[in-house]
Amino acid sequence: MKMKQPAILWDLDGTIFDTKDNHFKTWEYALNQHGFDLKKETFETYFGRNNHATLPYFLGFKPEPALEKDIVDLKETYFRDIAAQEVSLVKGVEDWLLEAKRLGFPQAIASSAPMENIQTLLTEFELTSYFDAVVSGEYLPAKPLPDVFYKAADALGQLSQNCWVIEDSLHGIEAAKSAGMICLAVATTHSPSELSHADLILEDFTQPLVDVVAQVSLRSGR
């Protein structure tokens, strides 16, 4: 039986990189510098969406553009400054990236993060060569709207039904499913029980990719 050849659309934060604590730390710092506090539960509720969609929830009001820019710029600069020392790869993810490339699966980043963050992390961890396209959703409608996944599929020249999204956030899972894509959820940010809308739930990437492809293809017929 010929192996399925899905195009894989990777989220970045919480999926390839374990960055949740770093994002909380840098959001908290930037907001504190402007006289605002950030509750952990509020952060966790909206983690996975882009900055423009997230910040009003953190502040409790929609900021003026100048304030938004000041907070976001400070937050992201700090994030990039500490990323190399404090961010780590999710267990097994580089094995998956390497195997997908060997098998000829198209791969793209489809992340809500700013492009500068994406490029910083990919370069720092020497992962750039694995991806055929890199798409930032910073200025697109935020997840759970599926725009970033549609754009990534277009960048790969793929139809939605041939794309498998790998996500960690509830908003990301919802976006992938609304786009008509298979969604694999990795339980780095949420418990497996919270990820039930995904097509398959993984603890990490230690299970071989070929086994997961066979398992998902059998379940979904795709």
Side-chain angles (χ1 to χ4, degrees):
M1 180 178 175
K2 186 177 179 181
M3 178 177 285
K4 296 285 185 180
Q5 293 281 321
I8 302 179
L9 310 185
W10 290 88
D11 178 49
L12 191 83
D13 292 300
T15 304
I16 296 176
F17 297 100
D18 184 359
T19 58
K20 182 180 176 183
D21 289 344
N22 300 77
H23 279 295
F24 177 72
K25 178 179 180 177
T26 53
W27 269 121
E28 184 179 46
Y29 169 78
L31 288 165
N32 286 170
Q33 291 299 303
H34 286 81
F36 302 104
D37 294 322
L38 176 61
K39 294 181 179 179
K40 190 69 175 288
E41 56 267 31
T42 303
F43 167 78
E44 291 185 348
T45 298
Y46 297 101
F47 182 62
R49 307 185 78 192
N50 65 34
N51 291 334
H52 307 287
T54 299
L55 185 56
Y57 292 102
F58 290 173
L59 291 172
F61 62 91
K62 183 173 176 58
E64 293 295 326
L67 177 60
E68 177 181 304
K69 184 177 188 305
D70 286 347
I71 293 174
V72 169
D73 286 354
L74 180 59
K75 183 265 176 192
E76 298 301 2
T77 298
Y78 184 31
F79 177 84
R80 290 189 291 272
D81 285 345
I82 67 173
Q85 292 75 39
E86 299 194 14
V87 168
S88 60
L89 291 170
V90 174
K91 188 176 181 180
V93 72
E94 194 161 10
D95 292 336
W96 271 45
L97 292 168
L98 182 62
E99 184 68 358
K101 187 174 181 66
R102 186 187 70 79
L103 293 169
F105 296 177
Q107 298 187 87
I109 294 290
S111 170
S112 299
M115 184 61 79
E116 191 172 356
N117 286 20
I118 297 171
Q119 298 292 5
T120 296
L121 289 171
L122 295 183
T123 300
E124 187 67 39
F125 287 83
E126 299 182 347
L127 301 181
T128 304
S129 63
Y130 292 117
F131 299 101
D132 304 293
V134 176
V135 174
S136 166
E138 181 179 16
Y139 299 110
L140 296 174
K143 301 171 186 176
L145 295 176
D147 297 59
V148 68
F149 294 135
Y150 285 140
K151 187 172 181 179
D154 286 345
L156 294 177
Q158 298 287 330
L159 298 174
S160 294
Q161 56 262 38
N162 194 47
C163 293
W164 292 13
V165 171
I166 304 181
E167 262 286 355
D168 69 299
S169 75
L170 305 182
H171 296 297
I173 294 169
E174 185 177 344
K177 298 305 293 180
S178 68
M181 300 175 179
I182 295 288
C183 186
L184 312 184
V186 59
T188 53
T189 303
H190 297 278
S191 66
S193 63
E194 295 176 284
L195 304 173
S196 59
H197 289 152
D199 294 279
L200 186 71
I201 301 166
L202 306 166
E203 290 290 343
D204 52 32
F205 299 103
T206 52
Q207 185 177 358
L209 173 62
V210 291
D211 292 350
V212 173
V213 171
Q215 186 178 351
V216 175
S217 297
L218 184 64
R219 286 186 183 185
S220 66
R222 288 161 59 182

